[in-house]
Amino acid sequence: MPGSARIIPKSWSSTLLLPNSPFPPRALPADRPKYLQKCTDDLYAWQRKRRTGPTFTLHDGPPYANGNLHVGHALNKILKDVLCRYKLSQGYKIDYVPGWDCHGLPIEQKAIEQYAEQRPGSERRKLDAVSIRNAARALASTAVEEQKRAFRGWGIMADWGNAWKTMDRGFELKQLGVFKVLVKKGLIYRRFKPVYWSPSSCTALAEAELEYRDDHVSTAAFVKFVLQSLPVTLKRFASRKINAIIWTTTPWTLPANKAIGVHSDLQYLLAESPTHGLLLLASSRLDDIQKACGHTLDIVHSFLGSELTGATYIDGAFRNDTRPILHAEFVASDSGSGLVHLAPGHGADDYQLCLRHGIDAFAPLDDQGQFTRDASPRDPELLLGKEVLRSGNQSVLDYLRKSNLLLSSHKYKHKYPYDWRSKQPVIIRATEQWFADVGVIRGNALNSLDTVTFIPEGGRDRLSTFVRNRSEWCISRQRAWGVPIPALYNEETGRALLDETSISHIMGVIEDRGIDAWWTDDNSDPVWTPPHLRSSDGSTLYHRGRDTMDVWFDSGTSWTQLSTSNDYGKQCIADIYLEGSDQHRGWFQSSLLTRIACGGPGEGSVVGDAPFKTLITHGFTLDQHSRKMSKSIGNVISPDQIMDGTLLPLLKQKIRGSKGGATPEKRAFHDAQGPDILRLWAASCDYKNDVILSQTVLKAINGTLSKYRVTFKLLLGLLNGFCPANISASSDQLDTVHQIALIHLSKTFTKVLDHYNQFEFNRAAQEINRYINTDLSSFYLESIKDTIYADGLRSASRAQVQLVLLQTYIDLQTMLYPIVPLLVEEALDYTSDQIKDFCAHPMKRANVRDDPIIRTVSNSSLEDQLPSFQRINSAVKSAQELARADKKMGSSLQSQVMFQIVQEPNDTEKAAASFLHRYQVELETMLVVSGVDHCYDPLPKTVAEAEWSYRSDFELDGSHLSAYVYTPQMGKCVRCWRYKVPKEKEKIDPLCQRCSDVLTDLSTTRPELFHDKMQSAMAA
């Protein structure tokens, strides 16, 4: 009896070196806090203390401290975190201090609502400014802590201990410092002029606080005004009443009418109406006016608009005042009547035109958008208290109809601005407001963008357009919760005091008393007035204003947090700003304008740099139907739902110890993969466009993350017991299959880092996924399975495999850490001390390629031959699938391969034969078959007369070849399952020579795995 038959193991599998690792198949929720701590606070603290490389600064666009977080927040914060972690892996020291935007109307309104909800009607009272501020501060503080807890739960690595808030005293003082610089440079002024006004919020708004709806419906009207003094061309009609026809979509602005605009180059005409008499209109608008009248008009006279300028008309509806007719460039020939009603208190163009003619703005409305007594002096009660966007507009139309001044009215659907917070329509209303002069700094702001990198590039035009179209910025708001505009008003003259000296003095008082003292101190307290302006008895004639700054000015000055210097505007530049695409009109713009306005030396200078070197924008999150997520629709997805797995189908797990017979008891559970699944979703998105989130998407992400975990578990199991400290190698010393694996790994690593560097995180994730699924799982792990499982524990062949696997494990950690840091930290926790002592943490190396496990030696010839290996593999796989379809084989080991070179031998065919001969052994390993050979025509009998065979044709180096997959010609080894046992030994000793040698060694080193000699003999 042969020797090997005398040493039969108790089980064949016990003699194989199968992967063994305690790494759990699923993330354990109980372990999450530990790994969060390691990959966030601990890592950030380590790099701030130990990292000596250049600093990378990411400036946080502050989220609003109000309400729950949604997946849009997750997308934003995770993209920032992936970026910071990649930069950390490149040797940078990370400077990322989070912030919060805490002032503004939504928080103020919510504070007031909560106050009302907590008290019965009898106890409710109108809150004063101090109470509002206290309630709003408490609300914002609570929201900040809740949001911070959520952000940290997503694995966001940042300097949380030094997070800033726009309501912090230090921030507010720096903001006031920026404002003081703008005042010093003459960029701040106060003026009574039309601004966007929100009746629902009772405050002025800036352009950035508007959103436009295309479905707004107004009641438009054609209205008659009677000419008073006629131009020369119309003198012959002096005996008759001539009605100038204007068209407006806002009839409620007619009480504020100050003039009519015409265009000098347009053709006008007088037309006779049997109902309305002589009508004045543009000739191009005749058809529309006839439709409005309901009958045909007879043309009486035609003339140029230039002949109308200087004429006057009677504002007969509400005043009986005489008004001028002016040339207006903005009058168009393709809409309305060709005559425009001008209300400088309700329109920017109207205001500018009337200003040039010395006509004052007038807007008879209160803060709620209701008419005041001044709207109709002849009958003050006529419109009093009526909301212009509701009953007020209809009341104006009713009065015009009653006065026989209404030609016609109709519904008109058009684009209209809405308050982006209250979602209610706004109006344009002249009020006394503070403005920043954007026109002066606009050119420098646009020039500064030339050196900024935009991702995507389209952001450059978007931001430039917003800046280019802006001449001023209304920075005052009529709210209590905010930073005060530090203006003092003379009680006798009403004039405002706002200069560098007064602001410096006020900042000193705020630093001493706190900003709330602006509201809590007595209004006549002289401490707020600079000493040189107080009376001899120490009293003051100045009182403090109540306007607060636009919250965009708050967050727009957050670049001051980038430097501890009080020299505003110098060295306050971040490497990257990364926010949603809506911030081109918001935070990006306000940050740019304040930074440019402060930059540069010298009084009056406005030369500076943008506060960002690179500006990255991402899209919005949409549901599976590409709809914006909204509470009213019911399609909002919470980040917690993604992390706890409740959006995915339940999984079932057998309960340990259950005695269910054929159907064991199972429990249903959600696959809660924690922060990593949320992070992987965000990193996998093409964030440059709007991002769709659905159950289908999450299923795919869940599967990918599970694949990562399985891969780490397998690698840890295969590396079990491996000690790399005393083993080193260069790639040219390895077998071909390992060299190919390293080429695949190196190429992938380079591509992934390049994608990270180009901020293409989704492409980095795609490349990692392709590598794991194709190069690693389908190719290398399949190719080396026999070696790593069945070769001897200390064999050179197995050591080669483990070296490559260790390099793969380390590089996968580095590539995946920016995206799924908790998973990598968990894998590190289960890594043996021998490997951890030998390999640094993936984020703690000075360079990601420091101390590679295997010294790479370039092998360009092998790289050039990779396509040949791929063509061979494809041909063999095709033939094997044919065999499987006919149920001739299962495992690829149940086949042998013969490559037939079809044509007569020549130089080309010899090259193919040389290739096949050179890599014959490696091809057997790569293809995972039980034998590889090659031949010319004719086929050997072993193939031609095989029990079964299947052919697939292909080309190799210009030669036509056929790959034959056929019945193995040897017996199956009972240990490794390769068909390597000679037929004559198959029944006597069913082991291949390799397995026989390994068992002989194991019988000495691991005798407990085997039966004793008597049992072995009986088993044999």
Side-chain angles (χ1 to χ4, degrees):
M1 185 179 292
S4 61
R6 299 191 189 98
I7 48 171
I8 298 177
K10 297 174 182 177
S11 110
W12 293 112
S13 61
S14 68
T15 69
L16 298 174
L17 296 168
L18 298 175
N20 180 27
S21 171
F23 188 73
R26 288 191 175 86
L28 303 177
D31 288 341
R32 187 183 301 171
K34 174 175 65 173
Y35 298 127
L36 274 172
Q37 179 71 26
K38 286 185 175 182
C39 73
T40 56
D41 294 354
D42 291 354
L43 183 57
Y44 192 88
W46 174 88
Q47 60 93 29
R48 292 302 296 173
K49 182 178 181 181
R50 303 282 295 276
R51 185 54 62 82
T52 59
T55 296
F56 170 78
T57 301
L58 174 66
H59 188 42
D60 197 25
Y64 200 58
N66 182 30
N68 297 324
L69 299 177
H70 51 72
V71 288
H73 290 103
L75 177 65
N76 177 263
K77 275 292 192 283
I78 291 170
L79 289 176
K80 292 175 181 176
D81 192 67
V82 171
L83 175 56
C84 286
R85 290 178 188 275
Y86 165 67
K87 289 294 184 180
L88 181 61
S89 75
Q90 298 299 295
Y92 286 88
K93 175 184 286 190
I94 306 303
D95 179 19
Y96 175 38
V97 184
W100 271 270
D101 195 355
C102 300
H103 291 132
L105 180 63
I107 294 175
E108 181 172 331
Q109 287 182 327
K110 191 170 182 178
I112 294 172
E113 290 170 2
Q114 287 186 356
Y115 174 86
E117 290 171 359
Q118 293 167 3
R119 291 164 176 78
S122 60
E123 294 182 16
R124 291 180 190 175
R125 58 181 175 81
K126 187 175 181 180
L127 287 175
D128 57 21
V130 176
S131 299
I132 289 174
R133 289 180 61 82
N134 290 337
R137 186 181 299 279
L139 185 69
S141 297
T142 299
V144 166
E145 291 307 312
E146 290 175 351
Q147 291 183 7
K148 183 189 295 185
R149 187 160 48 249
F151 289 147
R152 299 180 82 162
W154 301 344
I156 308 302
M157 179 186 71
D159 190 354
W160 295 107
N162 291 309
W164 51 268
K165 302 180 290 294
T166 57
M167 64 181 181
D168 291 340
R169 182 182 299 188
F171 188 101
E172 292 169 331
L173 286 170
K174 286 190 175 183
Q175 178 179 333
L176 288 168
V178 171
F179 185 79
K180 181 175 72 172
V181 174
L182 270 62
V183 169
K184 178 181 178 181
K185 293 182 177 182
L187 298 176
I188 304 296
Y189 57 89
R190 191 167 187 250
R191 189 168 295 167
F192 183 79
K193 61 177 296 184
V195 297
Y196 290 109
W197 185 272
S198 173
S200 57
S201 302
C202 296
T203 185
L205 299 177
E207 176 70 34
E209 296 171 293
L210 304 177
E211 59 184 19
Y212 287 84
R213 286 179 50 176
D214 295 320
D215 60 350
H216 184 84
V217 177
S218 297
T219 301
F222 288 102
V223 179
K224 299 182 289 186
F225 286 95
V226 180
L227 294 189
Q228 185 182 50
S229 63
L230 302 180
V232 174
T233 188
L234 298 181
K235 288 293 186 183
R236 61 192 175 98
F237 301 100
S239 62
R240 301 190 59 187
K241 182 169 72 172
I242 300 175
N243 294 299
I245 305 301
I246 64 93
W247 178 74
T248 178
T249 60
T250 54
W252 60 266
T253 62
L254 289 168
N257 173 266
K258 289 284 188 174
I260 289 177
V262 298
H263 198 291
S264 296
D265 298 335
L266 289 185
Q267 194 73 24
Y268 288 82
L269 54 82
L270 276 184
E272 184 78 54
S273 165
T275 305
H276 303 285
L278 287 177
L279 304 179
L280 173 62
L281 60 143
S283 59
S284 61
R285 307 305 303 152
L286 178 62
D287 289 346
D288 278 9
I289 300 300
Q290 289 182 143
K291 291 178 183 177
C293 291
H295 53 256
T296 302
L297 301 178
D298 295 327
I299 299 175
V300 176
H301 183 54
S302 179
F303 51 94
L304 279 176
S306 56
E307 299 184 64
L308 282 172
T309 56
T312 61
Y313 66 96
I314 296 292
D315 172 17
F318 301 100
R319 276 181 173 71
N320 274 339
D321 292 337
T322 300
R323 308 290 192 200
I325 295 178
L326 309 174
H327 165 70
E329 284 292 335
F330 50 81
V331 174
S333 63
D334 59 353
S335 64
S337 65
L339 293 90
V340 174
H341 135 68
L342 302 177
H346 296 299
D349 290 337
D350 300 13
Y351 172 80
Q352 294 297 334
L353 176 61
C354 290
L355 185 65
R356 293 196 295 270
H357 290 273
I359 301 173
D360 294 334
F362 173 63
L365 309 178
D366 62 17
D367 290 353
Q368 286 76 37
Q370 301 171 343
F371 283 118
T372 65
R373 291 176 175 274
D374 294 332
S376 179
R378 291 188 301 190
D379 183 0
E381 303 298 321
L382 177 68
L383 301 174
L384 179 64
K386 296 183 178 180
E387 297 181 43
V388 298
L389 291 176
R390 292 180 173 82
S391 62
N393 197 62
Q394 187 59 48
S395 294
V396 169
L397 290 171
D398 291 343
Y399 182 72
L400 291 172
R401 186 178 292 107
K402 180 181 178 182
S403 304
N404 196 31
L405 296 174
L406 182 66
L407 188 73
S408 71
S409 63
H410 57 278
K411 296 299 181 183
Y412 181 69
K413 185 177 178 180
H414 61 124
K415 189 175 183 179
Y416 196 85
Y418 277 64
D419 183 335
W420 77 334
R421 297 293 189 186
S422 68
K423 308 301 180 184
Q424 297 299 310
V426 303
I427 59 177
I428 296 177
R429 173 198 177 204
T431 59
E432 198 90 44
Q433 300 291 342
W434 290 98
F435 297 88
D437 189 348
V438 176
V440 173
I441 63 175
R442 183 168 50 198
N444 289 327
L446 291 170
N447 291 337
S448 73
L449 298 181
D450 292 343
T451 59
V452 174
T453 299
F454 283 81
I455 299 173
E457 178 60 29
R460 184 185 305 278
D461 288 340
R462 184 170 169 81
L463 180 55
S464 297
T465 298
F466 280 120
V467 174
R468 190 178 295 110
N469 293 336
R470 193 171 193 177
S471 60
E472 61 185 6
W473 175 4
C474 179
I475 60 171
S476 52
R477 297 292 179 272
Q478 289 64 53
R479 308 307 307 177
W481 180 230
V483 176
I485 290 181
L488 302 175
Y489 295 87
N490 189 295
E491 294 180 353
E492 294 179 348
T493 66
R495 295 185 61 182
L497 171 65
L498 186 72
D499 58 29
E500 183 183 5
T501 301
S502 66
I503 296 174
S504 295
H505 176 79
I506 290 170
M507 289 174 64
V509 178
I510 289 175
E511 193 164 8
D512 180 48
R513 297 188 175 188
I515 205 162
D516 285 339
W518 182 266
W519 284 270
T520 58
D521 285 359
D522 187 88
N523 211 25
S524 60
D525 191 336
V527 73
W528 294 94
T529 304
H532 70 280
L533 294 176
R534 299 173 193 166
S535 302
S536 58
D537 61 357
S539 63
T540 180
L541 289 176
Y542 289 90
H543 67 269
R544 302 181 298 282
R546 289 296 180 258
D547 288 344
T548 54
M549 292 189 197
D550 176 14
V551 291
W552 288 115
F553 198 92
D554 291 18
S555 59
T557 58
S558 63
W559 48 263
T560 58
Q561 303 302 299
L562 297 173
S563 171
T564 57
S565 170
N566 285 323
D567 190 5
Y568 299 102
K570 295 184 180 179
Q571 298 178 346
C572 295
I573 300 177
D575 290 290
I576 287 179
Y577 276 30
L578 192 163
E579 299 300 329
S581 56
D582 58 333
Q583 295 307 317
H584 290 110
R585 63 184 295 188
W587 187 57
F588 294 156
Q589 186 183 172
S590 63
S591 298
L592 174 67
L593 295 176
T594 57
R595 176 66 178 76
I596 294 297
C598 280
E603 186 171 352
S605 170
V606 288
V607 178
D609 296 318
F612 36 75
K613 297 176 184 177
T614 297
L615 195 152
I616 303 175
T617 50
H618 61 78
F620 297 101
T621 51
L622 309 175
D623 70 7
Q624 59 184 338
H625 303 296
S626 297
R627 298 175 303 180
K628 185 178 179 180
M629 293 189 181
S630 167
K631 289 182 180 179
S632 60
I633 299 176
N635 62 348
V636 174
I637 294 177
S638 162
D640 287 343
Q641 291 177 286
I642 299 175
M643 292 194 295
D644 61 25
T646 54
L647 295 174
L648 298 176
L650 287 165
L651 299 180
K652 292 185 177 180
Q653 185 180 50
K654 181 180 177 181
I655 299 177
R656 286 184 180 179
S658 65
K659 298 179 180 179
T663 55
E665 188 178 350
K666 295 182 179 181
R667 70 176 182 89
F669 67 98
H670 289 289
D671 191 9
Q673 300 220 46
D676 278 341
I677 190 170
L678 182 67
R679 296 176 62 88
L680 182 56
W681 163 75
S684 300
C685 296
D686 180 8
Y687 65 82
K688 297 174 186 176
N689 301 301
D690 288 342
V691 174
I692 291 180
L693 178 58
S694 65
Q695 188 183 71
T696 302
V697 170
L698 289 176
K699 281 182 179 178
I701 296 297
N702 184 277
T704 298
L705 184 55
S706 297
K707 180 68 173 180
Y708 293 168
R709 176 170 285 276
V710 168
T711 300
F712 275 136
K713 182 174 179 62
L714 179 59
L715 290 174
L716 285 168
L718 295 175
L719 290 169
N720 184 32
F722 180 61
C723 180
N726 300 319
I727 302 175
S728 64
S730 60
S731 59
D732 60 340
Q733 297 173 329
L734 303 177
D735 291 343
T736 301
V737 66
H738 309 313
Q739 292 188 48
I740 292 175
L742 289 174
I743 290 172
H744 287 159
L745 178 62
S746 177
K747 286 181 175 293
T748 298
F749 196 86
T750 300
K751 286 181 181 179
V752 168
L753 294 190
D754 184 59
H755 289 317
Y756 277 134
N757 197 49
Q758 298 298 320
F759 314 113
E760 298 170 335
F761 308 141
N762 63 315
R763 296 186 67 183
Q766 289 168 8
E767 183 61 25
I768 295 170
N769 297 344
R770 185 208 60 77
Y771 169 76
I772 290 176
N773 290 317
T774 304
D775 295 341
L776 182 59
S777 297
S778 297
F779 170 68
Y780 189 62
L781 292 178
E782 284 297 314
S783 298
I784 55 86
K785 190 179 292 183
D786 177 73
T787 301
I788 196 73
Y789 289 0
D791 279 10
L793 176 64
R794 291 175 177 79
S795 64
S797 57
R798 197 167 189 275
Q800 283 193 13
V801 171
Q802 289 184 304
L803 275 173
V804 175
L805 290 177
L806 181 56
Q807 187 69 66
T808 302
Y809 178 57
I810 291 170
D811 286 356
L812 274 177
Q813 288 177 350
T814 303
M815 291 188 285
L816 285 172
Y817 199 95
I819 299 175
V820 287
L822 278 80
L823 174 61
V824 177
E825 286 289 354
E826 186 180 2
L828 287 169
D829 208 27
Y830 284 86
T831 302
S832 67
D833 291 339
Q834 297 98 315
I835 292 177
K836 283 196 285 190
D837 291 344
F838 188 73
C839 308
H841 187 284
M843 294 291 107
K844 295 182 180 180
R845 302 180 208 133
N847 186 286
V848 292
R849 273 309 191 193
D850 278 358
D851 301 324
I853 304 302
I854 303 170
R855 298 183 302 277
T856 302
V857 177
S858 177
N859 190 343
S860 57
S861 62
L862 183 57
E863 288 191 43
D864 293 340
Q865 291 171 334
L866 290 183
S868 297
F869 286 108
Q870 291 170 353
R871 281 192 289 273
I872 289 172
N873 183 65
S874 296
V876 171
K877 290 291 189 288
S878 295
Q880 287 175 334
E881 286 307 312
L882 294 173
R884 287 193 180 96
D886 287 344
K887 303 187 183 308
K888 299 298 184 182
M889 59 170 281
S891 166
S892 58
L893 288 172
Q894 293 177 274
S895 64
Q896 286 184 225
V897 178
M898 177 66 72
F899 295 107
Q900 181 189 32
I901 302 172
V902 179
Q903 296 174 337
E904 289 295 322
N906 57 34
D907 290 343
T908 302
E909 277 67 47
K910 289 178 181 177
S914 175
F915 179 90
L916 294 170
H917 177 73
R918 177 180 179 184
Y919 295 113
Q920 181 170 326
V921 176
E922 284 82 354
L923 283 171
E924 182 177 322
T925 300
M926 293 180 207
L927 298 172
V928 197
V929 294
S930 292
V932 169
D933 205 345
H934 67 280
C935 68
Y936 292 103
D937 196 33
L939 276 174
K941 285 185 177 183
T942 53
V943 181
E945 298 176 3
E947 180 183 340
W948 53 263
S949 67
Y950 294 85
R951 188 183 82 184
S952 176
D953 299 330
F954 67 105
E955 287 193 2
L956 181 67
D957 294 334
S959 298
H960 296 286
L961 282 78
S962 295
Y964 285 87
V965 174
Y966 63 101
T967 315
Q969 300 302 297
M970 300 183 77
K972 180 181 179 181
C973 175
V974 294
R975 180 172 178 268
C976 68
W977 296 4
R978 294 184 307 161
Y979 286 76
K980 291 290 187 179
V981 181
K983 286 290 186 179
E984 62 273 15
K985 293 178 57 181
E986 186 176 10
K987 293 183 179 180
I988 303 172
D989 192 4
L991 290 173
C992 66
Q993 187 60 51
R994 186 269 311 269
C995 289
S996 179
D997 293 342
V998 170
L999 285 184
T1000 299
D1001 182 58
L1002 277 175
S1003 66
T1004 303
T1005 58
R1006 298 286 307 279
E1008 72 277 5
L1009 298 178
F1010 297 86
H1011 296 290
D1012 58 30
K1013 290 184 179 181
M1014 179 63 69
Q1015 290 174 317
S1016 295
M1018 292 176 63

